[in-house]
Amino acid sequence: MSVIHAGKTSGMSNREKRNLERSRRVATEGMVLLQNNGVLPVSVSSKAIALFGSGARRTVKGGTGSGDVNSRVVYNVEQGLEEAGFTIGSKKWLQLHDENCTKAFYAYADNFAKIVKEQGWAGVMTAMTDPYRDPQEPAITDDDIRNLDNHFAIYVVARTSGEGSDRKKAAGDYELSEIEVTNITFLTEHFDNTIVIINAGGVIDTKPLRNLKGIGAVLLMSQAGAAGGLALADVLTGKVTPSGHLTTTWADSYSDYPNASTFSYMNGDVNDEFYNEGIYVGYRYFDSFGITPAYPFGYGLSYTDFEIKTSDVKLDGEKVVVTVAVKNTGNTYSGRETVQVYVSQPQGKLKKAYQVLAGFKKTSLLSCGQCEELEIRFSLRDIASYDEEKAQYILEAGKYFVRVGNYSRNTKIVCALEIDNTIVTEQLANKLAVDTELSLIEADESKFISYPGEAGQKAAAKVLAVDASLLPVRTVDYGSAPELMTTNKDYTITLKDVLDHKAGLEELVAQLTVEELADITVGSARGGMGQNSTIGAASSACPGAAGDTTSDLIESRGIMNISLADGPAGLRLSKNFVTDKDNNIIEGLGDSSMGNLPQLLGIPVPERPEDAIDYYQYCTALPIATHLAQTWDLEAIKEAGDIAGEEMEEFGVTLWLAPGMNIHRNPLCGRNFEYYSEDPLVAGMCAAADTSGVQSHKGCGTTIKHFALNNQEENRTHSNSHCSERAIREIYLKGFEIAIRESHPKALMTSYNLVNGVHAANNCELLADILRKEWGYEGLVMTDWGTTDPAQQEFKYGSSNAALCIKASNDLTMPGSQRDVDDIVHGVGKDFSMAQLQACALRVLKLVAETYQE
Ligand code: BGC
């Protein structure tokens, strides 16, 4: 019998209603106004309005795959506008497109079923690489727009993507399709203003929009979760003034990105990914190589204007403290502004990017004329650069210009911090050496962007001398190894004894046999992923959750299992499941998050007993991670985490497999929507905020993922990310380090890929040395799902292995298989010591104990 947390009432609960409203509010904060000639905000008129585009009715709430959330309702744009009082005059067109999509979906589903029936589990993987896409929309005709309000038309471009495949640099995905351009052009010719809404999880090519006369406004709605349509209407009507800012550079042309032609499948090689751009990722590249983007990092408009004045910059120990006064200088709309602080470092032995983001803060809602003072603090350590030659983080001698503004290309220099002699902030050891020759690019100052007056600002900047003695060098002890746990208690210790403080957790671990320890360090899906469990849904305790820890030791040791469920756009569970009268979950009944996949895989559907009981687990679909980051509002992100945490508590989930925090390295990565930004500080701070929201709930924790350099989806389980140690540390690991330091997430998930030749899951330098020793991380580390499964076909690089996970202090192999358990049992004394295995099991049991502690 399982412990059931879900409720039996099928109606919408107060918690669902409340969280929908909370997520609506967060969603409004992350929408980014990219262009506006004054047409926005619009008011409700008596005439019916024109609403077109694939996202108008088929609004995308978030991406696909494990990042999808099964919410009860999703408000599309059409419904949102209707709720706000508009009459939609283009329903015939919307209906036609909807019907075409439904037909196309059935055809896709039939084909999917065929592949899965023929190929079994391998077919699921194959089908995942070709997700369903809506067919082309119909052309808009004169008939469709008769008698409509001609002041404005709204056109919604929608895009979706998901794990397992990268986006295509093609019409209908990264680019607008011909019919989309034709339809938008048609609207610009027939309406005074065309408002284009972008309902996408990442960057699209906006060139056709920027070149078209008659576009009144462009608003990045992003993918806003269940309340998306309602939130969009709030912004369009001015109920909420837009205040989102981009967290990724939107290039003028795709070819402007530094790895445009080599990313993932673009060069025909999905085995090896060469990070030749080094530290020049996102705005670090565009600014340093003098390339003008369509919309720069940090950019976003408002309905009102702000004045940003820096009143003070001072040093406080190793911290820089910037005080800024922000005033709403408009006379119609209240609004919020984001202040961003960048630092331009001196060039020296190491080449630096033109600028890096060092801190940010968002104002509260300012009414017209209102002013607010913000204090933004950052540590000098966080802007130090990594010198591979000496394995040191250093602040080189010279002037560090501090810039303040509201986006990366709109800043003013407010002071210069001066360092006399190079300061070593951290002495490390070289780790993760690159396993091949890279052709690293390097910028010099001659390529840097500039703006009129920059030289004058530099010359006039007030200089603050940095006192090196306030930044003592940090060192790391890589030597310590776990010690064997022992106990002198001669009775069988159970988890209850530990919870009752009769024995220590270490004592319980000390009594466990190799087999028991191996059991604990492998998830509960003993049949293996291809047999009786499926990716993203291997939990039997909490249907729809991605997995559980073992329940094999409940009887002998009282060690209960814990459930792990996906995110990051909310909690991913089955909406409904069924039990028998004794509360035994009947697998295969109810509304599984896996649709009819189990049946297609040949898993028989059981009969529904007459006295079966239905349970419900409706969760809130939140805005996607990129959308959350675009709020630049850590409190709002914390609130999103709080929503997920509240629902975890309600449904008995211990670990949320979120947030995802990989860097937006290239806009075609299929999972960028699940990640925050191209900037590690933004990624780290957002993950920390999300974590503090979740972990404010008893026993609940986040699992920051995918550690690390998982920036492509094609061949994700066997691709080798070749990257310099400097870029790994400054760009790809930095966000994780920040999130850990700021919020202590309970867990971390390793990625599928290899990092410089070694699988992340088995990478001792990445996990045992950097994560555990350098950062002092004591939480649980787990693998991504099925990463230890032997490859189904020939790959250049093989798979990881459960025994080598233990060696690397990767505590939990998920979702687990008997082979993993056997590998661990056989690995003791060969691949790793008993003490290392105990240490891994202890970290798993610590979370189990925290879950069941009163
Ligand atoms: C994804 C993870 C996810 C896991 C469990 C994997 O395919 O990469 O992000 O948490 O499945 O569903």
Side-chain angles (χ1 to χ4, degrees):
M1 189 181 112
S2 312
V3 180
I4 308 273
H5 294 264
K8 293 184 194 165
T9 317
S10 64
M12 198 165 181
S13 70
N14 286 337
R15 184 267 305 156
E16 273 181 271
K17 287 179 199 153
R18 195 178 60 246
N19 286 353
L20 187 71
E21 271 313 303
R22 293 167 80 195
S23 100
R24 170 182 184 167
R25 211 165 47 239
V26 174
T28 60
E29 297 290 325
M31 295 187 185
V32 186
L33 184 60
L34 297 173
Q35 263 170 246
N36 188 14
N37 66 359
V39 61
L40 287 179
V42 288
S43 35
V44 179
S45 68
S46 51
K47 275 194 119 178
I49 61 161
L51 173 66
F52 292 98
S54 58
R57 181 173 289 179
R58 303 181 66 83
T59 310
V60 179
K61 74 174 191 311
T64 61
S66 63
D68 192 8
V69 170
N70 307 301
S71 66
R72 177 196 298 268
V73 285
V74 177
Y75 282 90
N76 63 27
V77 173
E78 182 186 10
Q79 289 163 326
L81 290 171
E82 283 178 336
E83 288 268 328
F86 290 97
T87 305
I88 309 298
S90 46
K91 282 196 173 266
K92 209 173 116 212
W93 186 96
L94 296 176
Q95 185 62 24
L96 176 63
H97 180 49
D98 206 22
E99 282 164 10
N100 292 343
C101 292
T102 309
K103 272 187 225 144
F105 181 76
Y106 282 131
Y108 173 85
D110 283 350
N111 191 42
F112 182 95
K114 212 171 118 223
I115 298 175
V116 176
K117 274 193 182 145
E118 277 167 16
Q119 300 175 25
W121 180 252
V124 179
M125 287 309 208
T126 315
M128 259 173 110
T129 59
D130 181 23
Y132 165 76
R133 288 194 171 81
D134 278 348
Q136 294 225 336
E137 62 192 41
I140 306 170
T141 62
D142 289 338
D143 202 33
D144 291 318
I145 57 165
R146 234 180 278 290
N147 297 325
L148 300 183
D149 183 344
N150 61 5
H151 176 45
F152 67 90
I154 299 177
Y155 183 91
V156 190
V157 183
R159 293 290 184 268
T160 188
S161 70
E163 68 182 287
S165 65
D166 288 314
R167 294 178 56 197
K168 302 285 170 278
K169 197 213 150 271
D173 195 342
Y174 186 80
E175 289 156 13
L176 292 180
S177 66
E178 217 177 295
I179 186 71
E180 286 173 329
V181 176
T182 307
N183 279 345
I184 296 171
T185 310
F186 178 89
L187 295 177
T188 59
E189 286 160 357
H190 292 82
F191 292 84
D192 297 344
N193 294 285
T194 298
I195 299 164
V196 177
I197 308 296
I198 302 174
N199 171 214
V203 183
I204 63 164
D205 182 7
T206 53
K207 200 176 255 157
L209 303 177
R210 285 177 282 123
N211 290 339
L212 208 61
K213 273 214 182 89
I215 300 280
V218 180
L219 178 73
L220 173 61
M221 171 192 190
S222 190
Q223 291 172 344
L230 299 170
L232 178 75
D234 291 342
V235 171
L236 291 179
T237 56
K239 194 170 156 195
V240 177
T241 299
S243 65
H245 287 248
L246 296 177
T247 54
T248 281
T249 305
W250 284 47
D252 178 48
S253 283
Y254 171 76
S255 57
D256 289 343
Y257 291 102
N259 43 38
S261 59
T262 56
F263 174 73
S264 184
Y265 63 86
M266 293 296 281
N267 60 357
D269 172 13
V270 291
N271 291 315
D272 293 283
E273 187 67 13
F274 300 98
Y275 287 50
N276 285 325
E277 69 281 3
I279 59 159
Y280 298 102
V281 177
Y283 67 91
R284 286 168 167 79
Y285 173 75
F286 284 82
D287 297 346
S288 307
F289 286 80
I291 299 166
T292 307
Y295 302 109
F297 176 81
Y299 175 83
L301 301 172
S302 171
Y303 295 153
T304 186
D305 297 311
F306 298 93
E307 178 188 82
I308 297 178
K309 270 195 183 155
T310 304
S311 51
D312 189 32
V313 185
K314 62 175 187 243
L315 283 159
D316 175 10
E318 62 173 63
K319 296 266 164 123
V320 181
V321 185
V322 184
T323 311
V324 183
V326 184
K327 184 175 179 188
N328 179 350
T329 54
N331 48 25
T332 315
Y333 300 100
S334 303
R336 302 180 68 188
E337 181 59 300
T338 294
V339 176
Q340 301 165 27
V341 178
Y342 296 82
V343 176
S344 294
Q345 298 152 294
Q347 302 301 312
K349 177 182 173 191
L350 304 180
K351 296 275 184 215
K352 322 279 184 348
Y354 169 78
Q355 60 180 347
V356 298
L357 183 73
F360 59 89
K361 218 169 220 178
K362 193 167 183 172
T363 66
S364 50
L365 186 67
L366 301 179
S367 50
C368 300
Q370 197 183 342
C371 188
E372 184 174 324
E373 198 171 80
L374 301 176
E375 191 184 87
I376 299 164
R377 301 169 77 89
F378 63 91
S379 170
L380 283 167
R381 286 182 194 278
D382 287 344
I383 54 163
S385 310
Y386 186 72
D387 178 7
E388 290 181 7
E389 201 190 19
K390 295 189 170 163
Q392 295 174 332
Y393 266 108
I394 56 172
L395 289 162
E396 291 197 74
K399 280 189 177 157
Y400 290 70
F401 292 101
V402 179
R403 303 167 178 277
V404 173
N406 66 348
Y407 66 94
S408 59
R409 295 278 173 117
N410 184 35
T411 65
K412 259 195 203 139
I413 293 175
V414 296
C415 106
L417 308 168
E418 186 151 48
I419 293 183
D420 288 342
N421 296 303
T422 297
I423 303 174
V424 178
T425 60
E426 248 180 308
Q427 178 63 61
L428 304 170
N430 284 115
K431 299 288 167 192
L432 304 172
V434 65
D435 58 338
T436 184
E437 192 78 18
L438 289 175
S439 313
L440 287 174
I441 57 168
E442 245 185 24
D444 56 47
E445 278 172 290
S446 65
K447 299 194 179 116
F448 282 7
I449 55 158
S450 187
Y451 52 87
E454 186 182 26
Q457 286 180 11
K458 281 188 173 171
K462 169 176 110 176
V463 179
L464 291 177
V466 174
D467 177 353
S469 70
L470 299 174
L471 279 153
V473 59
R474 284 190 190 150
T475 53
V476 177
D477 170 15
Y478 293 97
S480 58
E483 283 176 18
L484 196 69
M485 293 167 211
T486 55
T487 178
N488 51 18
K489 298 216 165 57
D490 55 4
Y491 61 92
T492 305
I493 304 173
T494 64
L495 186 66
K496 181 156 189 315
D497 296 326
V498 175
L499 297 178
D500 292 345
H501 307 289
K502 292 186 186 141
L505 203 51
E506 282 87 350
E507 291 185 292
L508 167 59
V509 172
Q511 280 192 350
L512 299 176
T513 62
V514 169
E515 284 73 18
E516 286 173 320
L517 291 168
D519 231 10
I520 290 171
T521 54
V522 173
S524 67
R526 287 293 182 270
M529 218 166 67
Q531 295 168 45
N532 65 2
S533 73
T534 42
I535 205 161
S539 165
S540 56
C542 193
D548 296 334
T549 57
T550 187
S551 39
D552 286 357
L553 304 181
I554 295 182
E555 273 185 29
S556 57
R557 294 278 181 179
I559 297 175
M560 307 290 285
N561 58 317
I562 54 173
S563 292
L564 290 52
D566 266 308
L571 190 62
R572 176 176 162 81
L573 297 177
S574 301
K575 293 183 203 173
N576 153 244
F577 65 92
V578 178
T579 71
D580 63 19
K581 64 176 186 343
D582 299 321
N583 268 355
N584 294 305
I585 294 167
I586 309 177
E587 284 189 38
L589 293 185
D591 184 2
S592 135
S593 63
M594 305 307 293
N596 63 346
L597 194 52
Q599 287 95 301
L600 294 177
L601 286 166
I603 301 167
V605 183
E607 288 273 312
R608 185 186 163 98
E610 272 193 10
D611 47 6
I613 309 166
D614 276 286
Y615 285 92
Y616 300 91
Q617 310 181 110
Y618 287 106
C619 298
T620 310
L622 300 167
I624 56 165
T626 310
H627 190 135
L628 292 180
Q630 286 167 185
T631 65
W632 292 72
D633 179 351
L634 299 177
E635 281 306 310
I637 300 171
K638 189 172 169 194
E639 175 153 16
D642 183 47
I643 292 173
E646 181 183 1
E647 298 178 3
M648 287 166 73
E649 242 189 298
E650 180 173 334
F651 297 119
V653 174
T654 295
L655 288 179
W656 193 36
L657 303 174
M661 46 184 311
N662 295 88
I663 291 294
H664 293 166
R665 173 175 176 249
N666 177 290
L668 299 184
C669 171
R671 288 185 96 169
N672 275 353
F673 72 97
E674 293 189 58
Y675 307 142
Y676 299 112
S677 174
E678 67 188 18
D679 179 79
L681 177 74
V682 173
M685 295 307 288
C686 291
D690 226 345
T691 298
S692 20
V694 169
Q695 296 194 169
S696 64
H697 293 269
K698 189 193 156 282
C700 301
T702 55
T703 309
I704 54 176
K705 69 186 186 185
H706 308 89
F707 194 65
L709 288 93
N710 181 185
N711 302 99
Q712 91 180 40
E713 283 302 299
E714 307 283 331
N715 189 29
R716 61 181 173 157
T717 44
H718 300 93
S719 79
N720 190 354
S721 301
H722 306 277
C723 188
S724 72
E725 186 186 356
R726 179 176 176 198
I728 291 180
R729 287 185 180 276
E730 287 187 25
I731 306 291
Y732 298 100
L733 300 191
K734 196 47 117 193
F736 287 94
E737 186 181 357
I738 294 171
I740 287 171
R741 190 181 62 212
E742 299 284 322
S743 66
H744 309 288
K746 289 196 181 204
L748 171 145
M749 184 192 291
T750 54
S751 54
Y752 284 124
N753 56 284
L754 297 89
V755 178
N756 286 336
V758 183
H759 269 284
N762 290 161
N763 203 314
C764 293
E765 295 198 338
L766 179 68
L767 305 177
D769 294 342
I770 297 181
L771 175 71
R772 301 247 185 239
K773 304 265 170 56
E774 292 183 13
W775 305 348
Y777 184 66
E778 288 175 357
L780 175 89
V781 177
M782 72 179 78
T783 68
D784 200 345
W785 264 231
T787 182
T788 55
D789 276 10
Q792 311 268 351
Q793 60 192 83
E794 274 294 298
F795 285 106
K796 180 169 175 186
Y797 300 105
S799 306
S800 59
N801 164 284
L804 298 181
C805 284
I806 303 295
K807 182 179 180 197
S809 74
N810 192 344
D811 311 307
L812 183 61
T813 300
M814 289 302 293
S817 69
Q818 190 54 47
R819 192 196 49 254
D820 294 327
V821 179
D822 297 343
D823 283 349
I824 293 174
V825 170
H826 295 130
V828 190
K830 184 164 68 91
D831 297 314
F832 53 83
S833 66
M834 184 69 174
Q836 282 176 295
L837 180 57
Q838 286 181 331
C840 291
L842 180 74
R843 285 186 285 260
V844 178
L845 290 181
K846 212 170 145 247
L847 284 187
V848 177
E850 279 168 21
T851 304
Y852 293 98
Q853 197 93 52
E854 283 306 312

